[in-house]
Amino acid sequence: MLMKDHVYKLIELTGTSTTTMEDAVNKALKRAHKTIKNLSWFQVMETRGSIDKGKVQHWQVTLKVGFAVED
Amino acid sequence: MLMKDHVYKLIELTGTSTTTMEDAVNKALKRAHKTIKNLSWFQVMETRGSIDKGKVQHWQVTLKVGFAVED
Amino acid sequence: MLMKDHVYKLIELTGTSTTTMEDAVNKALKRAHKTIKNLSWFQVMETRGSIDKGKVQHWQVTLKVGFAVED
Amino acid sequence: MLMKDHVYKLIELTGTSTTTMEDAVNKALKRAHKTIKNLSWFQVMETRGSIDKGKVQHWQVTLKVGFAVED
Amino acid sequence: MLMKDHVYKLIELTGTSTTTMEDAVNKALKRAHKTIKNLSWFQVMETRGSIDKGKVQHWQVTLKVGFAVED
Amino acid sequence: MLMKDHVYKLIELTGTSTTTMEDAVNKALKRAHKTIKNLSWFQVMETRGSIDKGKVQHWQVTLKVGFAVED
Amino acid sequence: MLMKDHVYKLIELTGTSTTTMEDAVNKALKRAHKTIKNLSWFQVMETRGSIDKGKVQHWQVTLKVGFAVED
Amino acid sequence: MLMKDHVYKLIELTGTSTTTMEDAVNKALKRAHKTIKNLSWFQVMETRGSIDKGKVQHWQVTLKVGFAVED
Amino acid sequence: MLMKDHVYKLIELTGTSTTTMEDAVNKALKRAHKTIKNLSWFQVMETRGSIDKGKVQHWQVTLKVGFAVED
Amino acid sequence: MLMKDHVYKLIELTGTSTTTMEDAVNKALKRAHKTIKNLSWFQVMETRGSIDKGKVQHWQVTLKVGFAVED
Amino acid sequence: MLMKDHVYKLIELTGTSTTTMEDAVNKALKRAHKTIKNLSWFQVMETRGSIDKGKVQHWQVTLKVGFAVED
Amino acid sequence: MLMKDHVYKLIELTGTSTTTMEDAVNKALKRAHKTIKNLSWFQVMETRGSIDKGKVQHWQVTLKVGFAVED
């Protein structure tokens, strides 16, 4: 992330996916991007999941996402 | 929590109560429910309190609350 | 806990309750006591819960429980 | 807590109770209040307990307690 | 996870895989499923691995897995 | 902070500054104050920074900020 | 530990000893070895102890122990 | 710190200041020095603060302070 | 890892990738392998990333890597 | 530790020793025992040390020590 | 930090200063810059200090510093 | 450790020993001393081990070691 003289806000999201952890992250980012256009960086906080018949049903990846707040 | 193919948002709240920790949690959830109808799960992050004359004056329970974001 | 020259085992449980955190802990201990008679001490690891209509539906308290292993 | 231009000291206590976690906290505060009159705030650090016959025998809540040091 | 009035047990497993972290998780779940049919949720605790000639040889993902205990 | 019978919200911000950590905190608070008038307390979560030619270019201080939610 | 294509289980034990921390670890492993022959590695999680007349009475070392689960 | 064959005690203090974090630390040390002359080292544990009108009102720095105990 | 009577060194690296977390790890290991031939094991410490237009631009996986030091 | 209906205080000490970690713990307990007769349990918090010519000069073990407070 | 397709190395340093925490960080970066020209970002890990006559003698700030490794 | 106006570097090592944790630390320090003469202090980060036939085969103690960097 390129930090200028800005203030950044961090929000916490959980993305879910039936396929991979990467997909869960991208699902969360895609949804947040609908309302916040300048998402800048993220950090994975936790990876959990639900199980069905001994297989991962949904990957649940919780992440913090940062973006610059407009002046 | 029943995780479908959704994205979830987590917010952090501190509920306060003069009686119990459970009441502090419920006070925070009740207030958040006014504006967010589909609160889904929470996690207790920290329990603190103020003291008056050697007794707990206010229980202050900080929690993360998760809810599905509409598409 | 009174530690003699024993070896102890720790297991991790999540008790749930619609009323209080204390009840969730006791529900977990009660169930474990069915098969393990000498439960000795516990430590609360995490407190979470599900929410229904802005109220706590189930308290979910995760705890480690220790007990002496027979020689 | 209302922080003036003071210095505060934090001490660590474990309160015990046969009934609730809240009672364990208040037992610790009540005892500390005998010698320190201006206890100001606390933070719960750990919750443990002893078990007897599959029930919680004593709740053991460890807390940090802060109070202003006299000039 | 949909938490009813049950008690849950958590066990800790390390799954290994030569391909991906997701595969390592699924290998652990598949093995546990042989003896425990109602695995319900998991949480990734740690990701490690062995290295051979500058490449990941085995992904080693440690996870906690929860399941309801029968009454 | 003087905790009444309120519910508080915590948000997470990163303030940046070319001069000091204190200035980075104040920059974040100043910006948040534009839209939230009753900011009450903060906690420093992390201190990072970017480097240019062996000198700190920007201090990046991440903080949680709490404020009472109106009834 | 040599990680093959196996799944491993981790259990948590507390070994106690009147002499050294190393002895407490070995006492725990010795006991576990009675029922699990292929214990593979361990990690020390916590070191506590009981005190009698200003001396350590029992060292209490809590460890996680890993072993391969048979296919 | 130069560790001889001594035993050290650690106490926890919160210093407050309207100006800088360094000043908050020094205020705590200055006060402790009134009763303990051989303070030796400290470690910053937490940095919090109160806010007034979008500015830091008081920096609140919690530190552990160590000093040798006389034989 | 097969621990003989050796001493090991751990270094910390951040690998980056536009595709997956696994690729980011392997990129870091491949680069380290150029100068250190006997890399033995790694542990993932943190997963972050940069975002461009609501998609992950670069996965940034920080890992500790261990290898035996020659006598 | 056998927890009755008491309140316990925890203090933090660093014991030092030129020989072993166990000796550092016992040195700290021995010193504390001079003024506090009913020390009950301890927990190791941190192990550090000073080095002289490539050998451990002093083991520095920091521990929390608990004891019942008289009514 | 602007993350390209590089691999980064992180080293850990402790800078010391008699004046401020910021100065301690800059002293560490200045020294590292003598041998590593492309230092890119840092993270503060710990802040400690030595005390002389009730005043901070040296601020000791431990930081991780990251920089791109040449191909 | 006596902190002058220096900059210190911290490296991370794992020492192994078939006998004690202390020996594992000293083995790591002895090896590091071959190339770095002014090792100053260390901190134990983690204690793990390999197991053979229900006994500790190798103690594996990971430590951070600090030393002053020459100007």
Side-chain angles (χ1 to χ4, degrees), chain J residues 22-60:
Chain J
E22 284 84 352
D23 186 52
V25 172
N26 269 315
K27 285 237 169 73
L29 297 182
K30 186 183 175 184
R31 176 60 190 80
H33 182 66
K34 286 189 182 180
T35 49
I36 307 168
K37 290 305 177 195
N38 61 337
L39 299 174
S40 178
W41 85 93
F42 69 92
Q43 177 177 4
V44 173
M45 304 306 287
E46 194 181 55
T47 302
R48 302 171 73 102
S50 58
I51 306 170
D52 185 50
K53 294 172 192 162
K55 289 180 188 165
V56 177
Q57 186 183 45
H58 279 94
W59 295 91
Q60 304 159 347

Side-chain angles (χ1 to χ4, degrees), chain D residues 1-2, chain F residues 1-2:
Chain D
M1 78 209 92
L2 185 59
Chain F
M1 77 208 94
L2 184 60

